[in-house]
Amino acid sequence: MTNESQEYQTCEACGVSAEMGFIIKENDDVADVKIFGGNKAALEAELANYLALAKEVNANFKHEVSPLKDDSTELTARIQFECSAEKLIFELKTRSLMR
């Protein structure tokens, strides 16, 4: 298996192309989350949504959050899962929060 980049390949039988957008890498188990909001309470509420999704994927996740002040408008969290696949599942699930 190689890590070479390939262009879209068209299937001659059906005329469609496909793209693989996600690769599971060994030891890639930490998701970095950036949250923006108007105040500390809004940031904490949005973080709670992300942590609830992480718990759905695996209740044994670990997380750390950047220190918040009362006037903070940005929060950075690192969420560590037990394996790379769980991180990938979490990232796919968080798309629903970004809408």
Side-chain angles (χ1 to χ4, degrees), residues 5-37:
S5 177
Q6 296 183 356
E7 295 182 28
Y8 289 105
Q9 295 181 357
T10 303
C11 173
E12 293 178 11
C14 55
V16 299
S17 64
E19 173 186 1
M20 294 300 296
F22 296 99
I23 298 173
I24 297 177
K25 298 177 185 172
E26 188 175 356
N27 298 323
D28 184 19
D29 58 359
V30 178
D32 293 314
V33 177
K34 283 198 174 276
I35 302 171
F36 300 93

Side-chain angles (χ1 to χ4, degrees), residues 19-94:
E19 173 186 1
M20 294 300 296
F22 296 99
I23 298 173
I24 297 177
K25 298 177 185 172
E26 188 175 356
N27 298 323
D28 184 19
D29 58 359
V30 178
D32 293 314
V33 177
K34 283 198 174 276
I35 302 171
F36 300 93
N39 56 41
K40 181 180 178 180
L43 293 171
E44 289 173 339
E46 191 64 21
L47 175 63
N49 293 333
Y50 280 90
L51 296 179
L53 276 178
K55 189 173 184 177
E56 286 180 18
V57 174
N58 182 344
N60 294 325
F61 72 92
K62 299 174 186 175
H63 73 283
E64 56 185 47
V65 180
S66 61
L68 287 176
K69 298 179 181 176
D70 290 335
D71 60 345
S72 294
T73 59
E74 180 179 336
L75 176 146
T76 303
R78 293 176 50 85
I79 302 173
Q80 183 177 14
F81 294 94
E82 292 181 334
C83 68
S84 302
E86 292 172 351
K87 175 199 169 205
L88 179 60
I89 293 166
F90 170 77
E91 289 177 338
L92 291 170
K93 284 180 169 268
T94 60

